[in-house]
Amino acid sequence: MALKLTRRGALTAGAGMAAALAMPAILRAQGMQNFAGKELRLLTWSDNTGLAVLNHIAKPFEEKTGARVIADRTGSTSEMVAKLRAAGSRPQYDVITLAGVGAVELAGDGLLAKPDLNKLPNLADVDPRFRTGAEGHGIGYLLWTGGLIYNTKTFQTPPTSYAEMWEASHAGRVFLPPATWTDALDTIFATGKMLGGDGTNAEAAFAKLAELRDNLLTFGENPAQLTELFRSDALDIGGVYAPAFFADELKDPANSNMGATYDLDEGFYADLMYTITPKAKPGDDDLVHAFIDFTLDAHVQGAMAEAVLNGPVNQKAVMSEAAKASPFIIKPEQMGAKAVVQDKSFIAGVRENWIAQYTQSLA
């Protein structure tokens, strides 16, 4: 899921996350409103996460409200940002689901509207840390988490450091996230921490990443391709990457050869994903708020968590026992010292430069 950027115990969340702690009174709705005949235009991802948004959010929302959700899907948050910037003041989308840094950038551009929190009753059940961001323009709805993906035939026990990717035994058997994905920025940050810095020591990180050229087999632009490479025993390890892409494969390591771990010396990465609404939107304002609120519904949150291993932010999320026990679904109470939540304003400021240097270092 292409992001656009960020996620230990070192960096704290940005001002937008901190502002989330201040929560106005929220009015409880009396049920879903009927929006028959109205349309909502949604922009989401083209991967399995976007498909889950359609199946577990958009479709049931249509069934409950009578509204029609018209979805456009694209590969990354960077592409979403570009689309909205290109549209400018021309109404194109009502709601966009994207990574936090994208919301920060678009809010900085003055392209986003601030949702009315009093029209989002489910927000009362969301962990206060994850309610809003991007100076109030984004509503948090799921935690996107990343660590290492590894070959269970190669590793008898999970690797404990990103440094494992540099081992000579993995030459030609390593993958990294694509440059435009948020996960690539996390990889730069993790490399800096691995070298003993605070993660912002980018120049040292790029020099170290350049050493991976001989170990690198591919960039993980296509998660389905990665699945086949692991299944055929052509890959050993890669990251920072999200287990969310491999929900089915991680349940069946005997056939997929795939494992994932967050228990890493340098920590794992957590990015609060947001729903946002452009200032210029074609749809009905009440419909937009109803949809955003529906993303926070306890049952929706549980369904999304189980479908794509995203962490629920609703503290009352209705989850199966298997989902509750899954080591790949990070719950809010697990966001401790090993969870790196990046300062999104910092990442937004360095994103373009880091993408260019990451590409150059690994070319």
Side-chain angles (χ1 to χ4, degrees), residues 82-158:
K83 276 178 174 282
L84 200 58
R85 283 173 170 165
S89 61
R90 299 189 305 277
Q92 188 172 10
Y93 301 109
D94 296 305
V95 176
I96 302 172
T97 64
L98 79 177
V101 69
V104 170
E105 291 185 10
L106 291 170
D109 291 345
L111 294 175
L112 302 183
K114 283 188 178 182
D116 182 348
L117 303 189
N118 286 310
K119 293 183 178 181
L120 306 175
N122 282 320
L123 207 57
D125 295 329
V126 172
D127 186 301
R129 295 171 295 171
F130 307 133
R131 286 173 177 164
T132 67
E135 300 298 327
H137 295 89
I139 301 298
Y141 83 107
L142 286 171
L143 287 168
W144 180 262
T145 48
L148 279 178
I149 310 298
Y150 65 91
N151 189 321
T152 54
K153 292 177 67 175
T154 303
F155 294 91
Q156 298 305 305
T157 58

Side-chain angles (χ1 to χ4, degrees), residues 260-330:
T261 181
Y262 295 120
D263 189 13
L264 298 156
D265 294 341
E266 302 85 6
F268 69 91
Y269 289 76
D271 186 29
L272 180 62
M273 296 189 291
Y274 294 121
T275 51
I276 59 172
T277 184
K279 278 185 178 178
K281 64 181 188 297
D284 178 88
D285 191 65
D286 286 339
L287 176 62
V288 167
H289 279 84
F291 184 85
I292 294 175
D293 188 58
F294 191 65
T295 69
L296 304 174
D297 175 84
H299 289 87
V300 169
Q301 288 266 302
M304 287 294 294
E306 191 151 11
V308 288
L309 307 183
N310 287 162
V313 295
N314 186 322
Q315 297 171 106
K316 297 180 180 178
V318 179
M319 303 170 67
S320 69
E321 292 305 313
K324 291 177 184 176
S326 172
F328 308 121
I329 301 175
I330 297 296

Side-chain angles (χ1 to χ4, degrees), residues 147-234:
L148 279 178
I149 310 298
Y150 65 91
N151 189 321
T152 54
K153 292 177 67 175
T154 303
F155 294 91
Q156 298 305 305
T157 58
T160 59
S161 171
Y162 296 99
E164 186 66 43
M165 293 191 290
W166 279 262
E167 291 296 322
S169 59
H170 305 310
R173 297 175 61 85
V174 172
F175 78 92
L176 291 172
T180 59
W181 288 22
T182 300
D183 309 74
L185 305 187
D186 291 339
T187 300
I188 298 165
F189 203 86
T191 303
K193 288 180 65 65
M194 183 189 76
L195 295 172
D198 65 358
T200 64
N201 49 320
E203 293 306 317
F206 289 125
K208 187 66 177 177
L209 283 166
E211 297 175 11
L212 276 182
R213 288 193 191 110
D214 291 339
N215 284 17
L216 188 63
L217 175 64
T218 187
F219 291 98
E221 188 79 44
N222 186 339
Q225 180 188 48
L226 291 184
T227 297
E228 291 308 312
L229 289 171
F230 272 103
R231 184 173 286 122
S232 63
D233 198 24

